[in-house]
Amino acid sequence: MLEITEIQTRLEDQFLPLEPMLTGFRLLPSEVTQDDIEHFQHQLNTVLPEQFESMLRRFDFGRFTIGPIAFCNTGDFLAWLCENNQDGSANEYPWWGSGARPSDLLLIANSDPYAVLLNCKAGLVSVFKHGESWNDHMIVVADAFEPFIRGLGTTFLERNEQGGNSSLADEVSNEVGGGRGNAFWRWFAK
């Protein structure tokens, strides 16, 4: 599996020449501070996993998309996280359905058809399909956030555009903690 620095370099090589016409496809340095993270945690009454915090301080997810997975498009990832994970009238159709948000889960990215969740207690990254109950259909795709990003980058950069990527999907899924035959990784590798 590719290291983060290699993913960053290869995304840079591929997408920098397309800017400013096409932006948001490179892993750029973050401007998020520890104070920003602490304020966010206080707002949502949650504690972020250390590895997720470290990645937030390292990379800007405020305008980052890789393949069909969009982390944010507003420029302020922490504000987007807050808006999409906050109880109350500001969030008319929350991802968790009715009642209070599950305190250990945060929506961290979206795609069509998947919503991507981070388990703040265990550090696991899971997905469920929009329109299905997260409670009944959530599947673990990575055992932590950094391996998830590495898996996305590796699959995106190494897949064959003509297809036949199921072995790549299985290899990545196994390495990041999603297991063999994971439907998410097979979908992402297409």
Side-chain angles (χ1 to χ4, degrees), residues 43-62:
Q43 281 183 294
L44 285 186
N45 192 28
T46 193
V47 176
L48 297 175
E50 186 178 315
Q51 191 178 92
F52 185 66
E53 271 192 53
S54 174
M55 291 290 284
L56 290 180
R57 287 191 309 273
R58 189 171 172 195
F59 298 111
D60 181 2
F61 290 94

Side-chain angles (χ1 to χ4, degrees), residues 15-98:
F15 292 106
L16 183 59
L18 303 175
E19 291 185 1
M21 298 292 286
L22 190 64
T23 61
F25 299 96
R26 297 185 300 133
L27 278 170
L28 299 173
S30 176
E31 294 181 9
V32 171
T33 66
Q34 187 61 40
D35 286 344
D36 296 334
I37 290 171
E38 287 174 13
H39 178 73
F40 167 78
Q41 291 179 127
H42 178 72
Q43 281 183 294
L44 285 186
N45 192 28
T46 193
V47 176
L48 297 175
E50 186 178 315
Q51 191 178 92
F52 185 66
E53 271 192 53
S54 174
M55 291 290 284
L56 290 180
R57 287 191 309 273
R58 189 171 172 195
F59 298 111
D60 181 2
F61 290 94
R63 294 192 196 285
F64 184 59
T65 297
I66 187 161
I69 305 293
F71 286 89
C72 180
N73 62 3
T74 67
D76 188 340
F77 188 52
L78 292 178
W80 182 90
L81 284 173
C82 211
E83 179 181 320
N84 285 284
N85 290 289
Q86 203 159 34
D87 290 328
S89 60
N91 196 349
E92 190 175 348
Y93 301 105
W95 61 264
W96 61 88
S98 61

Side-chain angles (χ1 to χ4, degrees), residues 17 122-123 128 135 147 155 187:
F128 71 96
N135 235 6
T155 305
W187 163 80

